Amino acid sequence: MMMRIKSKLADFSVGQLAVLSLMIAVFVVIMVLPLVSLFARAFQNNAGEFIGFDNYIAYFDNPSLLRALWNTIDVSLSTTVISVVLGFLYAYGITRTNMKFKRFFRYMVLIPIFIPTIAHAVGLISLFGRQGIITALGFEIELFGRLGIILSHVIYTLPQAFLMFFVTLEYADGRLYEAAESMGVKPFTQLIKITLPEVKYTFINAMFVCFTLAFTDFGAPIVIGGGYSVLATDLFVQMTGLFNFNMGAVVGTLLLAPAVLAFVINRVTNSANMGAMSAKSTKLVIKENRTRDIGFFVFCSIVILCLLGLVGGLAVRALTVFFPFDTSFTLANFSFSATTGGIGSFFNSIQMSLLTAVIGTAFVFVYAYMAEKIDRFSAMRKIAKLFSMIPMALPGMVIGVGYILFFNNPNNPFNFAFGTIGILVVANILSFFSVPFLTATGALKKLDKEFESMSDSLSIPRWKLFLRVTVPLSFPAMLETFMYYFVSSMVTISAIVFLYTPRFRVASIAISHMHAEGVFAQAAAMSLLILLINVLVRLMYELSNIFHKRREKRRQA
C-alpha cells in the first residue's frame, strides 16, 4: 500500500516538474531570448561584430538623437507633475467628500483606458486642430508639438494615477482621523499631517508609473508631435525608416531604463508600505462640509467635461460629412477605405484580442497555479515568479524590437511565427502579463491549501482538481483577467507596431494610417468603434459579476 502511494506521489512530481519546466521554457523563448537579442544588437555593428559602447557613443554624439532624449524627459516630467496632482485631487474628491454622483465620476474618469493613445491625439485634433471644434469658436492653441504631446499623455496617465490614489485613500484607517477630530485638529492640518504621509509611497509609485507611461508612449507623439521628436518616434524611424537595427536597439535599451527603475521603486515602496491596514482598522467617517463638497464637485465635473469633450470631438468628426464646412449627419465615415485597413482591421483587432484573452487567461492561471500551489521545486517556482514580474518593466516597443531581432532571424527555429497573428497574440500576452498574474495569485491564495492535500491523499490528479475546483472558485478573477487582456489588446499600439503585416492590420494601427492619409473623420470613427466594443465588454464583465454574486448568495442560502 505504501509503495503504491509513493508511486502515485512520484507520478505527481514528474507531472508537476514537466508542466513547470514547460511554463519556464515558454518564458525563456518569448521574453528572455528576445531581450538577449536586443541587448546583443546594441553592442554590435552591422556585420554582427562586438564593438562595445560605440553605438551609444554615436547616439549621444548626434545632436538630433540626443535632442529626442531630452524632449522625452521634458514631456514626461511635465506629464507626471500634472497627472499626479490631478489624480490625487480627483481621488480625494471621490473618497474624502460627500459630493454627489461619486460612482459616476469614478467610472467616467476611466474612459481614456478604453481607447488607444493614438485616439487621444485624434480627439485633441478634432477639438484644437486648425479646423477643430473649439478652434472654430475662437480659442486657438499651438497643439502640434510639445503641448499636444503633454495633453495627450495627461489624458493617458490620469486614470492610472487616479486608480492608485483611489485604492490608498479608500482603504485608509479612520482611527487617526477620529483621534485628530477629538483633539480639535482642523481638516487642512489633517490633510498635511495624516493624509499626505499616508499616501507618500503612492505618490512615489504614481510619479514613476506616469513618467514611464509618458516616456514610452508611441501613439500620441506619432500623430500630434509635429517636429518635436521623442524617443518612441525616434525608435520607429530608426527601425522602419532607416532600417538601422543597431541604433534601434540602443534606443530600445534607453526606453527600458525608466521602466526598470519604476519597477524597482514599486517593489521597494510596496514592501515598505505593507501592513498599513490591520484587523483593528476602522472605516473613515466623512464629516459634512458643503463648501468642500461643492468645490470638489466642480473640479471633478471640469475633469470629466474635458474627457467627454474628447469623445465628443471624435463623435462630431465621425458623424458629420466634413466638419466644419458640412456638418450634415452621416455614417459614411464608418465605411473605411481599404488602403488604411478597412473595417477588416476592426474585426482583426477583435480576433486578436479574443485570442489574447482566451489563451492569456488560460496560460496565466496555469502558470500562477504552478508557482503558488505546488509544494515542490522551490528554486524553479522562484524563477517562475521572477519571470512573471519582469514584463511589468518592459515597454511595448521594447518587446516589439526584441521580437523583430529574435523571431525575424532566418536561423531561428521559431521564425515561422513572425508575420502571423500568433506573434501579435504572444506579444500582447507578455506585455500585459504581470497584472493578470497578480490577480490570479491573489485569487489562488484565498483558496484553502487543504484542497491540494486532500487531492494528493485521495490520489486525484492535480489537473482534475484544477478544472473541477480551482477554476470554478476562481471564476471572478478569471473573468477580470479575460476583460483586462481583451481591452488592453484592443487599445495597444506600442507592442505590435513593429509586428503587424499589411495583410493583417489592426484597428489601432489603422488609425495611424488614416491620420497619415488625412482622413481624420475615419480615424475618429475607428476610435469610436474601439471605445464602443471595450465599453460593451466592460458592461458584460460587470453584469457577469453581479450574476455570479447573486448565484453565490442563493447557493449559500
Side-chain angles (χ1 to χ4, degrees):
M1 183 66 178
M2 290 297 297
M3 291 294 293
R4 189 178 304 170
I5 294 176
K6 289 182 179 180
S7 176
K8 289 287 186 181
L9 291 175
D11 291 342
F12 286 157
S13 298
V14 172
Q16 292 170 3
L17 178 62
V19 175
L20 188 56
S21 300
L22 178 62
M23 297 285 105
I24 294 176
V26 169
F27 254 96
V28 169
V29 172
I30 69 173
M31 183 181 71
V32 177
L33 295 180
L35 286 178
V36 170
S37 299
L38 171 69
F39 279 95
R41 198 61 177 265
F43 295 95
Q44 295 175 351
N45 59 19
N46 292 330
E49 301 168 341
F50 178 77
I51 57 173
F53 289 94
D54 287 359
N55 287 329
Y56 288 91
I57 295 172
Y59 179 89
F60 286 104
D61 281 343
N62 189 319
S64 62
L65 296 179
L66 188 59
R67 189 181 307 115
L69 174 60
W70 294 123
N71 287 347
T72 307
I73 295 174
D74 175 34
V75 297
S76 300
L77 284 174
S78 301
T79 298
T80 299
V81 172
I82 298 171
S83 293
V84 169
V85 172
L86 291 180
F88 171 74
L89 292 175
Y90 198 95
Y92 189 90
I94 291 180
T95 58
R96 299 299 175 86
T97 73
N98 292 317
M99 69 178 191
K100 304 294 184 182
F101 309 115
K102 290 201 287 187
R103 183 180 293 272
F104 169 81
F105 286 122
R106 176 183 170 186
Y107 285 110
M108 294 307 291
V109 76
L110 303 180
I111 285 177
I113 293 176
F114 298 114
I115 50 179
T117 56
I118 198 169
H120 303 161
V122 172
L124 287 173
I125 293 173
S126 300
L127 294 174
F128 298 103
R130 293 180 181 88
Q131 298 175 354
I133 299 170
I134 295 179
T135 304
L137 299 176
F139 184 79
E140 188 173 353
I141 63 173
E142 191 62 39
L143 181 65
F144 293 92
R146 179 178 181 273
L147 179 60
I149 294 175
I150 292 174
L151 289 175
S152 297
H153 284 167
V154 168
I155 294 169
Y156 173 39
T157 56
L158 174 60
Q160 319 292 337
F162 159 75
L163 287 172
M164 297 175 73
F165 285 117
F166 175 81
V167 172
T168 304
L169 293 172
E170 178 74 3
Y171 297 101
D173 190 351
R175 290 176 297 172
L176 287 174
Y177 295 91
E178 291 175 1
E181 193 75 30
S182 65
M183 291 187 293
V185 179
K186 295 182 178 180
F188 182 76
T189 305
Q190 293 181 28
L191 171 66
I192 300 299
K193 297 292 186 180
I194 302 177
T195 304
L196 292 183
E198 273 184 339
V199 300
K200 61 182 178 181
Y201 292 115
T202 306
F203 261 109
I204 295 172
N205 281 337
M207 289 174 62
F208 277 97
V209 166
C210 291
F211 183 88
T212 303
L213 291 175
F215 196 88
T216 59
D217 179 51
F218 168 75
I222 198 65
V223 170
I224 211 168
Y228 195 86
S229 61
V230 294
L231 278 181
T233 54
D234 192 35
L235 174 58
F236 184 75
V237 170
Q238 294 291 336
M239 296 294 293
T240 63
L242 302 177
F243 298 103
N244 189 345
F245 289 175
N246 298 321
M247 196 58 70
V250 169
V251 179
T253 57
L254 293 177
L255 282 174
L256 191 60
V260 172
L261 181 60
F263 171 74
V264 173
I265 295 295
N266 177 268
R267 305 303 295 176
V268 171
T269 54
N270 280 349
S271 299
N273 200 31
M274 288 181 65
M277 291 289 288
S278 68
K280 297 180 180 179
S281 298
T282 61
K283 185 174 178 59
L284 175 64
V285 178
I286 303 171
K287 303 296 182 181
E288 292 295 330
N289 188 323
R290 185 173 176 80
T291 303
R292 176 204 61 197
D293 296 344
I294 293 175
F296 275 98
F297 179 84
V298 171
F299 168 75
C300 293
S301 298
I302 292 173
V303 172
I304 293 304
L305 282 174
C306 292
L307 297 182
L308 291 179
L310 186 78
V311 177
L314 293 172
V316 169
R317 276 298 179 99
L319 299 174
T320 56
V321 175
F322 187 47
F323 186 89
F325 305 105
D326 187 351
T327 56
S328 303
F329 176 80
T330 182
L331 294 176
N333 294 320
F334 290 87
S335 300
F336 306 103
S337 60
T339 56
T340 58
I343 189 63
S345 63
F346 176 67
F347 292 110
N348 287 344
S349 277
I350 294 177
Q351 180 185 355
M352 177 190 71
S353 300
L354 282 174
L355 287 173
T356 300
V358 172
I359 299 172
T361 300
F363 181 75
V364 162
F365 269 84
V366 173
Y367 193 95
Y369 188 85
M370 299 306 299
E372 289 292 334
K373 285 296 186 178
I374 62 174
D375 51 5
R376 301 175 180 86
F377 319 116
S378 60
M380 293 184 67
R381 288 193 292 115
K382 288 179 181 178
I383 294 174
K385 290 180 180 180
L386 173 64
F387 281 175
S388 71
M389 290 293 102
I390 292 177
M392 191 179 292
L394 296 180
M397 294 194 78
V398 171
I399 293 174
V401 174
Y403 276 28
I404 286 181
L405 300 177
F406 177 70
F407 287 102
N408 200 30
N409 186 344
N411 298 321
N412 187 339
F414 300 100
N415 175 257
F416 66 90
F418 195 80
T420 66
I421 186 176
I423 199 73
L424 302 180
V425 171
V426 170
N428 285 334
I429 290 174
L430 176 64
S431 183
F432 308 116
F433 184 84
S434 296
V435 172
F437 177 81
L438 292 173
T439 301
T441 53
L444 293 174
K445 285 178 180 178
K446 294 178 181 179
L447 302 182
D448 197 329
K449 293 181 180 180
E450 293 300 319
F451 287 128
E452 281 69 34
S453 300
M454 291 290 293
S455 171
D456 292 343
S457 64
L458 296 174
S459 299
I460 298 174
R462 284 289 181 92
W463 64 268
K464 284 188 177 180
L465 174 70
F466 180 77
L467 292 178
R468 295 181 181 179
V469 178
T470 306
V471 169
L473 292 177
S474 304
F475 178 76
M478 296 184 75
L479 198 63
E480 182 178 350
T481 298
F482 181 93
M483 187 272 299
Y484 177 82
Y485 260 132
F486 183 90
V487 171
S488 300
S489 300
M490 283 295 298
V491 303
T492 188
I493 182 170
S494 298
I496 60 176
V497 69
F498 297 123
L499 304 175
Y500 78 97
T501 65
R503 294 192 304 260
F504 194 87
R505 287 178 180 164
V506 294
S508 57
I509 299 295
I511 294 174
S512 67
H513 289 291
M514 292 169 188
H515 167 263
E517 291 195 4
V519 284
F520 299 113
Q522 292 187 16
M526 184 66 77
S527 302
L528 288 181
L529 287 180
I530 295 175
L531 175 62
L532 177 64
I533 190 67
N534 282 337
V535 170
L536 287 176
V537 169
R538 178 73 192 196
L539 287 175
M540 292 173 62
Y541 163 73
E542 296 290 348
L543 291 174
S544 298
N545 261 345
I546 292 173
F547 174 77
H548 180 77
K549 289 177 181 178
R550 288 179 178 176
R551 187 176 63 179
E552 283 299 303
K553 286 183 179 179
R554 287 197 298 268
R555 185 182 65 80
Q556 292 174 6

